[in-house]
Amino acid sequence: MGIVEEAHNVKVLGSGDRVIVLAHGFGTDQSVWKHLVPHLVEEFRVVLYDNMGAGTTNPEYFDFNRYATLEGYAYDLLAILEELQVNSCILVVHSVSGMVGALASISRPDLFSKIIMISASPRYLNDVDYYGGFEQEDLDQLFEAMGANYKAWCSGFAPLAVGGDLESVAVQEFSRTLFNMRPDIALSVAQTIFQSDMRQILSLVTVPCHILQSVKDLAVPVVVSEYLHQNLGGQSIVEVMSSDGHLPQLSSPDIVIPVLLRHIRYDITT
């Protein structure tokens, strides 16, 4: 196993000629895909990895400067594909990894046959003629709460993000992976994500994109999925799912997994 693979806890499962890469979002790790993976391993070679800063990665490897922008994560993704000698893949991305995948695809469009984005957003802050869902004041309060008492913040944020009650398995699972992050790293990552603005790169994305979105999502309003659809440079399609929450592949697998499998197996038809 190479250095990059080891650092990101890369796992390659299943068999098949086609490769599918699963990239998780903030506060989770590759375990967020546990409901999807069993449906893929007989058909695909499945690549799972952890974003640097996830609680499962070595915090000593987290470079605050490198990960002050999403480009750092895009370089990691490309390095993983290079080390595994992947020439082409379907990329399934969740949350912040949506824009990370978009960046990687601008640099190397040949590596991606399509990108399937779940709960992706190019900008979380509201702007003139753009509704991202948050005001700066909201974000400042969020960062302050994270810095003041990270454990307490996790307990409050997890049910809001997942969209379930405190006792639900999905909320407990997200609480666990969120709490596993080192607090200073979690705050830095959250600031990078929530203050990012990737709208200007969307027109450069030429790889076909399938945009999947929960009808109700604390972090990403439904209008954002339509914004992505209108502004991406290549072909795209939107499907708004009847799921609730920002981690629907974890909280509503019965709804989301069939939708995901359909988008994985079928391409956009013109």
Side-chain angles (χ1 to χ4, degrees):
M1 181 179 278
I3 295 167
V4 177
E5 288 172 75
E6 194 175 340
H8 292 275
N9 305 316
V10 172
K11 289 190 188 71
V12 183
L13 307 170
S15 57
D17 298 331
R18 291 181 299 165
V19 176
I20 193 157
V21 178
L22 307 179
H24 68 83
F26 170 69
T28 60
D29 55 42
Q30 60 188 262
S31 67
V32 80
W33 302 111
K34 64 183 181 180
H35 298 298
L36 175 63
V37 171
H39 298 276
L40 299 176
V41 288
E42 294 196 358
E43 211 175 321
F44 297 93
R45 210 151 57 94
V46 183
V47 176
L48 293 150
Y49 73 97
D50 295 332
N51 280 325
M52 198 52 65
T56 44
T57 60
N58 184 343
E60 298 303 312
Y61 291 161
F62 188 84
D63 181 330
F64 285 87
N65 290 326
R66 179 182 174 91
Y67 300 110
T69 66
L70 300 186
E71 278 83 359
Y73 299 97
Y75 295 141
D76 287 353
L77 171 57
L78 293 173
I80 290 166
L81 296 180
E82 185 176 354
E83 205 162 88
L84 293 175
Q85 298 181 322
V86 171
N87 300 318
S88 177
C89 70
I90 294 170
L91 181 64
V92 180
V93 286
H94 174 236
S95 190
V96 62
S97 283
M99 292 304 104
V100 171
L103 281 166
S105 79
I106 292 168
S107 176
R108 290 291 307 276
D110 55 302
L111 293 178
F112 307 98
S113 58
K114 62 181 163 187
I115 303 175
I116 299 170
M117 300 178 170
I118 307 164
S119 316
S121 175
R123 180 183 163 107
Y124 297 88
L125 262 177
N126 299 330
D127 196 6
V128 180
D129 300 331
Y130 177 81
Y131 182 66
F134 293 89
E135 294 292 345
Q136 188 61 53
E137 188 184 346
D138 304 326
L139 296 182
D140 291 341
Q141 288 173 356
L142 183 145
F143 302 145
E144 192 180 329
M146 287 182 80
N149 186 333
Y150 183 64
K151 187 174 184 181
W153 176 80
C154 290
S155 302
F157 183 73
L160 288 173
V162 174
D165 62 76
L166 285 166
E167 302 307 310
S168 83
V169 175
V171 169
Q172 290 177 352
E173 179 72 8
F174 184 49
S175 298
R176 178 186 67 79
T177 56
L178 199 55
F179 189 59
N180 276 346
M181 294 182 78
R182 205 173 78 187
D184 59 331
I185 290 175
L187 177 56
S188 176
V189 173
Q191 287 170 328
T192 295
I193 294 168
F194 281 115
Q195 300 287 175
S196 66
D197 186 355
M198 309 304 287
R199 291 175 298 173
Q200 72 284 358
I201 68 141
L202 297 178
S203 63
L204 304 175
V205 178
T206 55
V207 170
C209 292
H210 299 237
I211 304 154
L212 309 182
Q213 176 64 40
S214 288
V215 70
K216 187 178 168 193
D217 181 339
L218 162 91
V220 184
V222 170
V223 290
V224 171
S225 59
E226 188 56 36
Y227 182 89
L228 282 171
H229 177 48
Q230 298 295 339
N231 289 277
L232 284 161
Q235 280 187 309
S236 64
I237 188 170
V238 177
E239 183 161 351
V240 177
M241 304 176 289
S242 59
S243 51
D244 181 1
H246 188 60
L247 296 93
Q249 73 275 43
L250 192 64
S251 59
S252 307
D254 295 351
I255 296 169
V256 174
I257 302 307
V259 175
L260 264 172
L261 292 174
R262 194 170 75 246
H263 283 273
I264 286 166
R265 290 179 179 135
Y266 301 104
D267 296 329
I268 300 168
T269 50
T270 44

